[in-house]
Amino acid sequence: MTIQEAQKTVDQWVKTFGVRYFSELTNMAVLTEEVGELARVMARKYGDQSFKAGEKDNLGEEMADILWVLCCLANQTGVDLTQEFRKSVEKKTLRDANRHKNNPKLKA
């Protein structure tokens, strides 16, 4: 599935099952909540915390939830995530072409 297809899938789902999009501000709060849930899993899986009883390692699920809400926000605000992602890659490539290669902190 492409990013564009993901945006269309989310839009169709919202129109079919979700009645309407939540407001942009509500979706921004939901996105923040989802990022926090990903952070919780990361802290338990890769950090110093351990999973509590009943918690599961659902890293992919949390990432997918973030993508879902991001698609909602993009759809609501008229953002083509495919186009914007391409521009972001180009910007980073031009800006950071040698930056990381020359960073002594990243040497093994």
Side-chain angles (χ1 to χ4, degrees):
M1 178 181 292
T2 66
I3 297 171
Q4 184 178 45
E5 289 169 339
Q7 279 189 248
K8 287 180 181 177
T9 297
V10 168
D11 190 59
Q12 188 60 46
W13 188 94
V14 168
K15 290 175 179 174
T16 303
F17 301 104
V19 180
R20 66 171 178 81
Y21 285 95
F22 296 141
S23 71
E24 294 85 351
L25 186 56
T26 296
N27 273 335
M28 186 63 230
V30 172
L31 179 63
T32 303
E33 178 184 353
E34 295 297 349
V35 170
E37 291 175 9
L38 175 62
R40 185 190 69 243
V41 174
M42 294 290 292
R44 282 153 175 69
K45 184 170 183 167
Y46 299 105
D48 298 323
Q49 294 185 342
S50 59
F51 286 97
K52 297 175 186 173
E55 282 186 325
K56 58 184 176 181
D57 177 359
N58 59 344
L59 195 63
E61 181 181 332
E62 298 302 349
M63 289 180 184
D65 288 347
I66 290 167
L67 181 59
W68 178 276
V69 181
L70 192 59
C71 285
C72 287
L73 285 167
N75 289 345
Q76 290 176 277
T77 57
V79 171
D80 179 340
L81 284 175
T82 301
Q83 179 182 351
E84 294 303 324
F85 187 77
R86 283 186 183 126
K87 289 179 359 186
S88 181
V89 170
E90 183 178 319
K91 175 185 73 174
K92 287 169 178 43
T93 301
L94 291 171
R95 182 188 65 202
D96 301 331
N98 294 306
R99 179 174 160 226
H100 300 301
K101 291 178 187 176
N102 296 328
N103 182 348
K105 294 178 183 179
L106 297 177
K107 302 291 181 205

